[in-house]
Amino acid sequence: SKTPERLRHLLSYVLPVRVVILKQPAAYQERLQRGFEVVSRRPLSVIYKSHGVRAFEPDFLNTSGIAKAFAEHEPRVIHIQAPVFEDEGTLVLGLPLLSPGLSGEMERQRLTVDLLSQLFRSSLRTRNAPLLILDSPRPLDTSEVARQLLLRNRFAADFVALGQARAVLCTGLFERSRMELAAERLALGISLKPRLKELLVLCRKEGDDRFSGPGTALFAADPEEFLR
């Protein structure tokens, strides 16, 4: 029957999905010559909004700004556009968080699995926890692409083990020519509130090699669950 599908389409307009986006600032991406906005004509937030999704970003890229965005907007999806690094054995998201230190000066803060879990726990209702999307940009050095895939998926597995997200979708690593189109199709898919496994299939179809296609992963207790 097409009735449930039609109902989902109707609800996507009446009750649009809310997304909070965490990403590196455009100037930071330009300096590194790596990231979505170095390639795309439009930021991710604009792409989401063009498909009827309500997209928000923190006013300030620090822990208090992120916590405020989570609490105010109660997102159904948290989309993180950033690479994952390993720093002295600890997995860290490549977001330049700055927080005031003991001296009063701004200090760099590492967004680890534990800190992200703490932000979820303190700012979001775990009863209806959001989907987390880990969207890694493709490294310029092709030999680093496989390593980035492994680090991203390890971060996701560690995060899911802490129990703060309903699911984690690992995507990204697209060639530059595919990045914007893949984002368009993901935004459209999310707007329709599909089953979680449908987002996995969609992302795998958009990939053009073994890293951006089959390398996409979904960590979910129930892949058949609908995005609400």
Side-chain angles (χ1 to χ4, degrees), residues 53-190:
V53 176
R54 298 188 66 194
F56 308 94
E57 296 181 36
D59 294 330
F60 301 99
L61 193 58
N62 54 33
T63 51
S64 58
I66 293 170
K68 181 182 176 186
F70 286 180
E72 282 186 359
H73 303 302
E74 295 186 353
R76 305 290 11 100
V77 177
I78 293 172
H79 190 145
I80 301 181
Q81 270 191 334
V84 179
F85 301 109
E86 190 165 24
D87 182 12
E88 297 179 350
T90 300
L91 296 177
V92 180
L93 286 167
L95 292 172
L97 301 190
L98 293 175
S99 299
L102 295 176
S103 64
E105 296 186 1
M106 300 304 287
E107 295 180 354
R108 183 71 50 92
Q109 189 169 17
R110 303 188 309 171
L111 188 51
T112 63
V113 172
D114 287 338
L115 179 55
L116 184 62
S117 179
Q118 180 183 329
L119 287 166
F120 268 58
R121 185 169 59 251
S122 62
S123 310
L124 297 164
R125 295 180 302 172
T126 54
R127 184 168 51 86
N128 193 17
L131 165 69
L132 174 63
I133 298 177
L134 292 180
D135 181 1
S136 298
R138 193 180 186 96
L140 295 176
D141 185 348
T142 54
S143 65
E144 285 293 312
V145 178
R147 174 172 166 77
Q148 180 57 214
L149 184 151
L150 293 173
L151 292 175
R152 180 199 65 191
N153 291 6
R154 275 178 53 200
F155 190 102
D158 290 351
F159 186 78
V160 166
L162 295 178
Q164 299 304 320
R166 66 191 301 189
V168 181
L169 176 66
C170 297
T171 186
L173 302 177
F174 296 104
E175 295 281 2
R176 289 188 167 208
S177 60
R178 301 283 300 179
M179 287 174 66
E180 188 171 353
L181 180 59
E184 290 276 4
R185 290 180 174 163
L186 177 60
L188 174 60
I190 284 173

Side-chain angles (χ1 to χ4, degrees), residues 182-198:
E184 290 276 4
R185 290 180 174 163
L186 177 60
L188 174 60
I190 284 173
S191 74
L192 301 176
K193 301 182 179 181
R195 298 182 193 273
L196 298 177
K197 71 173 186 181
E198 291 174 326

